[in-house]
Each structure stands twice: as C-alpha cells, then as structure tokens.
Amino acid sequence: MFDQEVDWLVAGAGAAGMTGAVVAQQLGGSVLLVEKEAVYGGTTAKSGGVAWIPGNHRQCAAGVSDSAEEGFAYIKGLVGDSVCDTRLRAYAERSSEMLAFMMQHSHVDYSPLPDYMDYYETVPGYKTGGRSMDSAAFDLRKLDKEAAHIRIGHYDGLLLPFNVTVVEGRKLQAMNAAAYLLGIRLLARFLLDIPARLKRQRDNRVTLGPSLVARLRRSLMDRNIPLWLDSPMCELLVDEGRVCGAVVEKQGKRLLIGARRGVLLASGGFSHNTALRRQYQQAPTGNAWTAAAPGATGDAIIMGRDIGAGLAFMDCAWWSPTYTIPDGRVLALIAGKSNPGSIMVNSQGKRFANEAQPYEDLVKEQYASEARGEGAIPCYMLFDAGFRAKYALGHIKPGKVESDAKIPPDYFDSGLLTRAQTLEELAGKLGMEQQQLLATVDDFNHHARQGEDPHFNRGANEHDRYYADKTVTPNPSLGPLERAPYYALRCNPGDLDTKGGLQCDQYGRVLNEQGAVISGLYAAGNASAPVMGNTYPGAGATIGSAMTFAYIAAQHAFGNANTGTADA
C-alpha cells in the first residue's frame, strides 16, 4: 500500500518539527521529516529564537527561583478558561522536562535571561526574568553542505555585518563605552575569520533563530534522520478512523508514506493564506504585513480540517507591528518603540495606545482604533531628531551611526519614512489635520517632561522600561518630541505568524469537532491551537510551546511513561 513506511512522519522543519523528530528517534523510532520549502527553518529561522520555559533547570544558576506551579498560575491568570487546565498544566509542567531532554540528547543549548521579564507583572506567578531563554551561538560550518539550505539572509545588508545573541544585542543598544568595546570585539572576530571573508560569506557564527535551527539540523544529521526539502505533505491517509500516513509530493511524484506511530503536523500557521485570513480574521487583513516564512500557508490546518479536525483561535495571531522596506521584506518592530522622544498616532493625529506595551497588545489596540473609524491602519511612529540620533528603530541604525544621507532614498520615496522640518509640515505630508497633531504632541510633551503618561500609562511597568533608555529620568520611556527635523515610520498591524489552528489535547493529539481524539494525528507549533490562547505571556512563548508539545507528542506516540498510550 505504501511507497515507504516509517514509525513517525513529521511535516515542517522548524523548531517544532525538528524537535519532534529528534525525540522520536531517541525513543527508538524510524523518522521521516518533510518540508515544503527549498530551505529548512521555517518562521523559527526568522525569529529571535527565544524559548519561554517556566521552572527550567538552568534558572538556579542564574539566581532565579521558579516552579511549574508558578508557571501554571501565571498562564492560567492570562488565559482563564479559554484553554483547558490539563493542556495548560502539560505545558507548565513538561516544558522544563523538554528542555532538559533536548539539552541532553541534541545540540540545543539555552541559557536563561535573568533580566528578561514576563510581560504582565500584575498576574500571579509573574517572574522578573529567567523564563525567557537565549539560544547559544553556533558555527554554521558544523552543518557542512547543509549550511547552504538553512533559511538565512532576511536581514542581509540591514543590520550589523556580524550576528549577535539576545544578551549581546541588549548590551550594544546601550551605546555606551562597554557597548563600543563589545562591538569592536565582535567585529574583530568577524574580520579575522579570513577564509570566510575571502569567500565573501555571511557571518558563520549564527545566533537567535538561525542558531536554534542550525543546532536542531545538526542533531538530525548526527542521527541520520532524513529531511526531504521541496516535499510538501498534501493529504492525510486514514484507515478505519486512524491516521496511518500521508501523501507527500517529492520531485513531482505523489508518494504514500505510512506512519505506524503517528503523523506530527508542525508546518506553521496560515499567515500567507489570504483566503483563510479573510475567512477568520478581522479586516483589513491579508498576507502583506506578516513577518512569517512564506511557507506558512495553513497546509496542516487544511489537511486536518478536511478529515474533521476542530479548529480554535483562528482569529488570533502572534501580533506585532511590522513595516515593509521597499524591496518587499517585512520586518517586525520589537525594539525602538519604547524609547523616549517618540509616539504612535493614527491618521487623525491622535495617540491610541501605550506604544511601549507588549507588541501583541499594541496591534490589538491598533485594530481597535481602526474599528472606531480613526484610521489606524497604517499608523505612524513619530520621533524627533534627538531620538533619531541616539536610538535604533527596527533595523534603522541611530543617526550618529548612520546619517539620513546613508538611508536609501527609496525609504523616503516610498513613504516608509517621512521627514519634515516642522510638525505642521509632517502633518501635511501624512495627510493629518495639523492642529490636532500639534495638540497631541504638545499634550504628550507636557506630561513626558514630568515622566507621566496619564492617558496610557507608558513606562509604568517593567516591560515598558526594558527596551527604554535607563539614562532618562524620571521615566526611561518618556521624553518630549521637540528637536527638528521630525520623522514618521509607517507601521502596519503585522504578525510573527498566526496562532489559530488544530484543536489538541494535553498530549498534542488532534481532536475532532466533537472533541474526540483523531487517532494517529498530532500537531504542534502554529499549526495547532495555542496553549497560550489569545495572549502572549513572555518572550519565547511561541517557540517554547512549539518545542514542548512536539516533545510531548512524540513521547505519547511511543508510549513513554506518564503520557498514556498512543491509542488512549
């Protein structure tokens, strides 16, 4: 019946899929991993690579006290009853188990970020740091020929010539003497890699998402786990109510692949599927503003739905403001929006939100402003010459590092950036009512000088202050816009990927529309409905949950202890 048969068939070569493959092989299974794109890594490779793991085994060394119970209380406080407690507990209690397993049996290497706090400090179980974890740098040469197939290069020509970890990037943002010394060391290391420089290669020391992907790929290579690129899974095979395999297209042929233990769907969300977005999500929507990998077209969700799987949270995404540079690349605006000397306004010239709040919440506020008829899509981040000189904004370097003359002219010609000598001129160029914009800025400036934001409470919590300028007092996130010229960056309600997907239980098993298990079918990552619900607990929640439920799914499929049996 089958062209090939394995124990465990996985769709999607991102963090979830590769984790699930490694775990299954470690448990004694034969594994095949298929990926629709010509490169591996998916959206993970475009991300910061951070994983959010409560109660992880490396926290003690960083001086952090945490537990699975505190992690559960925090997630429960955010998610409420929108996700069942058994699934919440599975994540809170087993994410640390996943991390320990992967650090023992693969090249995955994470360290806690003791100062990277959870996003909501008033929720019980909140921690000031240590749950968000940074993936260690990795030498791309260790991938040999497979280095040519990793998703990489989406920031080519935009940032520094060398790669930085989360910790290094945070230090560099300070722009102080220590930052300059670190920059010199990193640049020297890059330049002294003579063989790579002679070949005009990118930095072989990969960090962030590419580091995690490279570490997982090396782990697959060590285990001889086959990875088929350009090989989309296009149909699930069902026999007597159980998923027994799938149809995979490879080199123009449709192959029937049997899966004795199960199929894991881990091929990402549906960010690039405009039809699905318009069916389920708030207008205006589409695929033009997403920072997800192009392969995120909802294939797994559609295949599951076609055999009766239930869907949940399809109106949700891992929201983040994004901006599109003239060559078409879409970049998430994570850092920069919290610094003093800046605000965001809608087309009426009015602020609509706390600009420094978590990026997911900011986009929700942007949509709310749009729904009120205020014209918030796009919105504009306004900043003055003081901000421009001192701070990076997305990939745009500070003015003291890169002057306006060095910014590509098409940034201004396309309307991505707008510059004016007065606020009145800026309002005119943006099509805003001049007096309203002046009133907005005057009101903001008056309060910012006192370190206050009575309208939106910007800078009132640890999250707001994390990416802000700690040298500014009394509020590191607030400062007036008062030095010409003035600028505007056009921002859209983007996402890192969608988060709605296949409804799953605590073992990662896909459920049908009536809530019953579809035997033999598992899902993890953005192909599955999120354990986080319509929330974003902290940096790395996407990758942390993706890896955890891929781990749990493989453990369950192979009948390991404390997971029940594969057909239970």
Side-chain angles (χ1 to χ4, degrees), residues 89-107:
R89 283 202 176 277
Y91 180 65
E93 294 174 359
R94 303 199 66 192
S95 56
S96 58
E97 177 187 319
M98 176 279 298
L99 182 68
F101 182 101
M102 292 301 291
M103 289 185 66
Q104 179 181 355
H105 297 295
S106 78
H107 291 277

Side-chain angles (χ1 to χ4, degrees), residues 156-180:
D156 279 1
L158 300 181
L159 299 174
L160 301 166
F162 50 83
N163 298 317
V164 298
T165 65
V166 172
V167 173
E168 291 164 350
R170 177 102 167 112
K171 291 178 179 177
L172 290 173
Q173 286 176 3
M175 298 294 288
N176 53 24
Y180 284 112

Side-chain angles (χ1 to χ4, degrees), residues 420-431:
Q421 291 302 313
T422 65
L423 287 170
E424 292 90 340
E425 181 188 2
L426 187 65
K429 288 185 174 182
L430 299 177

Side-chain angles (χ1 to χ4, degrees), residues 52-57 66-73 75 85-100 506-507 531 548-549 551-552 562:
W52 190 80
I53 311 292
N56 67 77
H57 70 284
D66 193 13
S67 67
E69 192 59 37
E70 289 174 289
F72 171 78
I75 304 172
D85 282 4
T86 54
R87 190 158 160 83
L88 295 181
R89 283 202 176 277
Y91 180 65
E93 294 174 359
R94 303 199 66 192
S95 56
S96 58
E97 177 187 319
M98 176 279 298
L99 182 68
Q506 67 269 33
Y507 301 123
V531 68
T548 297
F549 280 101
Y551 166 82
I552 292 174
N562 302 318

Side-chain angles (χ1 to χ4, degrees), residues 345-405:
V345 297
N346 54 35
S347 64
Q348 295 182 354
K350 299 178 180 178
R351 293 178 69 211
F352 57 89
N354 167 9
E355 299 86 351
Q357 68 184 309
Y359 32 93
E360 166 133 338
D361 296 335
L362 181 56
V363 171
K364 291 175 180 175
E365 294 284 3
Q366 186 178 5
Y367 267 113
S369 176
E370 178 74 13
R372 293 192 296 268
E374 297 168 357
I377 300 177
C379 68
Y380 294 89
M381 181 167 173
L382 309 187
F383 51 100
D384 71 352
F387 180 106
R388 170 78 184 96
K390 193 173 183 180
Y391 307 120
L393 179 59
H395 78 284
I396 301 170
K397 302 177 184 68
K400 60 184 177 182
V401 175
E402 181 180 69
S403 68
D404 286 2

Side-chain angles (χ1 to χ4, degrees), residues 197-211:
R197 300 293 72 75
L198 291 175
K199 296 178 182 178
R200 298 182 180 274
Q201 294 177 340
R202 300 183 183 96
D203 191 356
N204 279 300
R205 177 185 180 260
V206 290
T207 58
L208 308 178
S211 164

